[in-house]
Amino acid sequence: MTRSDLVEELAAKFGQITQRDAEFAVKAILEAMNDALARGHRIEIRGFGSFSVNYRPPRMGRNPRSGESVAIPEKKVPHFKPGKALRLAVDQRTSDLQPTA
């Protein structure tokens, strides 16, 4: 699902919301999440999952083409951990969609 798919689904599900309002709402939510993660905060959405920032220390890598060593700098990366309800729902729906042999 893409961002535009999410906007379309919101507008279709809630008739009183226009496509433009749905787009604004999705954009505002994603920007708020982006800002919170950039400040190092953790985001928890009950029944869905949590977003946090993980630290990756600097390390030495290898260029696969030339084989020479390359220094990879430290970085902070976003991490998503699904909640129990989401894991169970995905597992159930996935097993429902698979044909039985």
Side-chain angles (χ1 to χ4, degrees):
M1 175 177 266
T2 64
R3 183 178 181 161
S4 58
D5 293 339
L6 182 59
V7 168
E8 287 176 22
E9 189 137 341
L10 272 175
K13 189 169 187 171
F14 301 101
Q16 67 273 22
I17 297 176
T18 65
Q19 184 95 5
R20 187 173 180 185
D21 290 340
E23 187 173 344
F24 181 75
V26 169
K27 185 177 180 181
I29 289 170
L30 294 177
E31 284 179 2
M33 292 174 72
N34 189 354
D35 291 343
L37 288 173
R39 285 178 288 173
H41 295 291
R42 184 172 181 270
I43 302 167
E44 183 176 334
I45 303 171
R46 301 278 176 171
F48 183 72
S50 61
F51 296 86
S52 59
V53 178
N54 283 355
Y55 171 77
R56 289 191 184 165
R59 60 189 169 93
M60 291 303 290
R62 192 166 297 283
N63 182 335
R65 185 171 290 189
S66 66
E68 83 180 63
S69 293
V70 177
I72 300 173
E74 66 179 21
K75 62 173 120 178
K76 294 180 181 176
V77 294
H79 175 74
F80 174 71
K81 181 178 179 187
K84 184 177 180 181
L86 178 62
R87 285 195 319 265
L88 293 174
V90 168
D91 186 43
Q92 180 63 43
R93 289 182 183 154
T94 304
S95 63
D96 290 347
L97 293 175
Q98 293 178 351
T100 54

